[in-house]
Amino acid sequence: MVKAEGVHKSFGHVHVLKGIDLEVAPREVMCIIGPSGSGKSTFLRCINHLEQISAGRLWVDGHLVGYREKNGKLHELHDRDVAAQRRDIGMVFQRFNLFPHMTALENVVEAPVQVKRVPKAQARERGAELLERVGLADRMHNYPNQLSGGQQQRVAIARALAMEPKLMLFDEPTSALDPELVGEVLDVMRGLAADGMTMVVVTHEMGFAREVGDTLVFMDDGVVVESGDPRQVLTDPQHQRTQAFLSKVL
C-alpha cells in the first residue's frame, strides 16, 4: 500500500529525511517511534504530499505520489491531481483542525459533499453511522467547543473515514490529549485495525504499538535505525540507539 524508496527531504540547508526505505502492506499497521526532530511527522506528511520530497520515490497503492515519471524524470502533478490522490489517504493530526462553526456531523459531512459530490442526505446518513462507530452518536449536533479533546479527535477520525480512504495516517493523534482521554481515541484506532484498515501511526504510545502494530519502526536523525515485530523491538532492541531511546520511554 505504501512504498518509500530512498526518500529525502530538506528544508533549506536542514536535511530532515536522509534516505527512507519502507514498505507497508495492505491491512498492515505500522507504528513509527523516535525522538522529536527525527523526521517521523515529516515522512508522514510526504506520504500524502503535504510536503514535497527532495529525492527518491513514494508510491501509495501503486501510484507515484505527487509526481508522474517520464523518461526517468519526475514531473510535479497539478494541484487537482494531487487533491484526487489525497482522497484515498485519510490523515489525523495532533491538533483536531475541526471547523469551529460546524457541528460534529457537519464537520464529517463537509468533504464528501464538497469534494466527492455525495448527495447531502446520503452523506449525513453515512456521517451519523461513522460518529456512532467512534462512540459519538449522542454528540453529533454538538460544536467542537462543546466537546472534550478526545471527542474532538474522534470526530476528526470520523471525518477522515468519511472519504472512504484506502490508507489512514495518524500523526501523534493522542499527544495533545489529557492522559485520561487517550484511551478512547486508541480504542477507535484498535477498531479500525481490527477491521483491516491500513494504518501508519506516528506515536509515543508504546502499549498501543506493542498490542496493535504489525511493524514497529524506530527513526532517529532522518533515518530508519531499526524495524521489526513490535514486541521483539521493544523487548530486545538490536541497535544501541534504539536501546537508549527505549530506556527513557518505557
Side-chain angles (χ1 to χ4, degrees), residues 38-170:
S38 58
K40 310 181 301 292
S41 294
T42 298
F43 176 63
L44 213 63
R45 291 170 66 85
C46 287
I47 293 176
N48 68 354
H49 208 61
L50 287 175
E51 300 289 355
Q52 298 177 4
I53 62 176
S54 304
R57 302 282 192 279
L58 256 173
W59 292 266
V60 170
D61 198 25
H63 300 287
L64 205 55
V65 174
Y67 300 92
R68 60 183 174 84
E69 191 165 1
K70 190 174 181 183
N71 300 326
K73 287 189 174 180
L74 293 182
H75 301 271
E76 179 114 20
L77 293 176
H78 292 296
D79 288 348
R80 66 176 180 274
D81 296 320
V82 173
Q85 286 187 334
R86 284 202 193 111
R87 291 176 200 171
D88 291 332
I89 306 172
M91 186 154 184
V92 178
F93 300 87
Q94 294 177 39
R95 299 289 169 184
F96 325 120
N97 297 334
L98 299 178
F99 295 115
H101 62 290
M102 293 184 179
T103 65
L105 181 60
E106 287 166 347
N107 266 281
V108 173
V109 164
E110 180 72 2
V113 170
Q114 298 298 332
V115 178
K116 282 190 156 183
R117 301 288 185 245
V118 175
K120 201 164 227 178
Q122 182 182 330
R124 287 179 70 86
E125 186 178 339
R126 173 71 175 146
E129 288 172 7
L130 287 169
L131 287 169
E132 183 173 1
R133 181 178 178 181
V134 300
L136 292 173
D138 59 337
R139 293 275 191 265
M140 67 177 67
H141 300 301
N142 288 45
Y143 290 90
N145 66 0
Q146 299 171 316
L147 301 172
S148 71
Q151 290 169 336
Q152 289 185 60
Q153 192 61 295
R154 284 186 280 154
V155 173
I157 292 172
R159 178 179 60 182
L161 292 174
M163 293 296 283
E164 301 185 334
K166 298 173 182 174
L167 168 69
M168 285 285 284
L169 309 175
F170 292 87

Side-chain angles (χ1 to χ4, degrees), residues 226-247:
E226 189 167 343
S227 67
D229 179 272
R231 290 150 288 280
Q232 193 272 321
V233 173
L234 290 171
T235 56
D236 186 25
Q238 301 301 299
H239 197 283
Q240 189 175 357
R241 184 67 191 91
T242 318
Q243 294 168 9
F245 174 76
L246 291 174
S247 71

Side-chain angles (χ1 to χ4, degrees), residues 18 33-40 218-225 241:
K18 302 172 181 175
I33 62 171
S36 295
S38 58
K40 310 181 301 292
F218 173 63
M219 282 181 65
D220 188 31
D221 196 27
V223 299
V224 173
V225 176
R241 184 67 191 91

